[in-house]
Amino acid sequence: TKDGKVMEFDRFEGYLTVVMNMGLTCVGDDEDKTNQQNKAIQTGLDAFDNILKVYPHGLEIVIFPFKAPAFGVKPEDDDCDMADIKAIVGALTTKKAHLMEPIQMNGPDTHPVYKYLKKLFKKDTIETNLATYFFVNPDGNHIYKYYAASLDQIKRYLRDIFERDL
């Protein structure tokens, strides 16, 4: 979790689980940009909390923040590190969704959950410029992967799954 506690994923057995990545960037010392980013992220988290109110007994949402490439900044000039990203995550709140510690989704330090998801969905890498949503059914098998989906698309897809399958 974002507090450093280990969460065993077998606790999600029996639930439709949405695992998503959430890209964060450092915005430097610009307090306005920092506040804008944090407000936008918090709005997204609140939206997921509201989705969980609609499906309180069959849905879990797990959100993994990661260090996203800064827009317009060359990777070698980006001095943002994981400690900076952890500080951003520490300021966020969610009532129902599970917000995890910042992770690596690709490369040698890939988080075990993303190793599993890549294998399950037959992916070598996870895109890092927009959110990817992985839908895993209650038995732990994949259902679908959405890349760069809007919240409305996610809501429609969840409604369809619950009406059809669960």
Side-chain angles (χ1 to χ4, degrees), residues 131-151:
T132 304
Y133 303 85
F134 295 93
F135 291 78
V136 180
N137 74 9
D139 297 328
N141 298 312
H142 78 290
I143 295 176
Y144 200 77
K145 176 186 78 78
Y146 264 119
Y147 172 69
S150 70
L151 280 174

Side-chain angles (χ1 to χ4, degrees), residues 28-44:
D29 296 330
D30 188 329
E31 192 171 328
D32 286 337
K33 284 184 180 179
T34 300
N35 290 337
Q36 287 174 352
Q37 173 178 263
N38 290 352
K39 184 177 179 182
I41 293 166
Q42 190 60 59
T43 298

Side-chain angles (χ1 to χ4, degrees), residues 31-71:
E31 192 171 328
D32 286 337
K33 284 184 180 179
T34 300
N35 290 337
Q36 287 174 352
Q37 173 178 263
N38 290 352
K39 184 177 179 182
I41 293 166
Q42 190 60 59
T43 298
L45 292 175
D46 293 345
F48 281 107
D49 280 344
N50 287 331
I51 290 171
L52 284 162
K53 288 179 187 175
V54 175
Y55 305 107
H57 302 293
L59 178 66
E60 293 285 349
I61 297 175
V62 184
I63 304 168
F64 284 94
F66 71 97
K67 182 184 175 303
F71 182 74

